[in-house]
Amino acid sequence: CLAIDGRLNLADVQNIERGGNIELCATPPRQVPRHMSGAADTSYTRIREFYRSLPPVPEDEETVAVVIGNRNYAKLPPSETSANDAGAVYAILTEYLGVRQDNVIDLRDARQADFNAVFGSLGVEGELARIVRARSGARVIVYYSGHGATDSESGETYLLPVESEPFREALTGYRLSTLYTNLAALGARSALLVLEAEFGRDR
């Protein structure tokens, strides 16, 4: 297996492999190697083996994605699979579905400030809104893997940044209702939100 660095679309990878009678092993793109090692590399390879047998998809310049994997919490148990999950989603988006790497905001262990910077707060737009505004007809994909929580008194649901404190999600979490509101206000052609999180009190 010959390791390569950088981005090649699947058709180019297959042409090189056939022409040289070799097997290429792509290094997980851009930010992923910082967050993945050991078993995570195996997970990435398995995901890649799955989609490399599918027909290639042309490059997609219109899709903008946010991928968040929150694993390492300061005051909560780790979300064991979140970094791997986010790495696999990033790989599928950029290598198989043709989403440009510079159209993906890729975050690991996101803090509350990161959520506010990317998605905005109530009445204040974030980086995602500015990116979508610059691309007429953009499609948006948001993927989050990590802890969530529900405030039993208010019924409000939260995504939990890595500095979140137990049972203080109203102060340290990011309201799911704010995310819904801000995604709806983007003016995107479509918005797909995928959440891999539990929202019970025991996380």
Side-chain angles (χ1 to χ4, degrees):
C1 175
L2 179 64
I4 60 170
D5 199 4
R7 183 183 186 281
L8 289 175
N9 65 44
L10 188 57
D12 290 340
V13 169
Q14 291 171 332
N15 286 337
I16 292 169
E17 289 177 331
R18 282 193 297 269
N21 195 26
I22 58 173
E23 181 182 355
L24 299 180
C25 299
T27 301
R30 232 176 29 177
Q31 297 171 328
V32 179
R34 289 206 308 261
H35 313 293
M36 300 173 68
S37 61
D41 292 337
T42 303
S43 171
Y44 175 86
T45 301
R46 287 181 185 156
I47 291 295
R48 188 167 183 270
E49 286 173 356
F50 166 73
Y51 64 73
R52 70 183 292 151
S53 63
L54 300 173
V57 175
E59 185 170 79
D60 180 357
E61 297 184 2
E62 296 180 342
T63 296
V64 176
V66 180
V67 177
I68 301 173
N70 276 7
R71 181 188 188 282
N72 300 303
Y73 285 83
K75 298 182 180 179
L76 297 170
S79 179
E80 294 291 350
T81 64
S82 290
N84 294 2
D85 295 342
V89 169
Y90 182 95
I92 290 171
L93 288 171
T94 59
E95 290 193 357
Y96 173 64
L97 294 177
V99 179
R100 295 169 56 98
Q101 288 186 9
D102 54 0
N103 283 358
V104 181
I105 299 171
D106 185 20
L107 297 172
R108 300 294 184 278
D109 293 338
R111 303 177 67 81
Q112 189 176 52
D114 297 319
F115 281 86
N116 288 328
V118 172
F119 299 117
S121 53
L122 283 177
V124 179
E125 70 177 22
E127 181 182 356
L128 182 59
R130 290 187 288 276
I131 293 171
V132 170
R133 192 168 55 244
R135 290 170 173 80
S136 178
R139 291 183 292 267
V140 173
I141 298 172
V142 175
Y143 173 84
Y144 171 83
S145 180
H147 289 318
T150 302
D151 184 319
S152 55
E153 292 184 9
S154 68
E156 190 75 54
T157 305
Y158 299 84
L159 302 180
L160 297 185
V162 293
E163 76 273 34
S164 294
E165 299 178 22
F167 309 111
R168 292 175 59 84
E169 51 274 347
L171 294 175
T172 60
Y174 188 83
R175 288 176 188 258
L176 198 54
S177 60
T178 300
L179 179 58
Y180 290 151
T181 298
N182 291 354
L183 289 177
L186 289 175
R189 186 193 314 178
S190 65
L192 172 65
L193 174 62
V194 181
L195 301 176
E196 290 202 61
E198 305 85 6
F199 293 100
R201 295 298 287 167
D202 60 358
R203 279 163 284 280

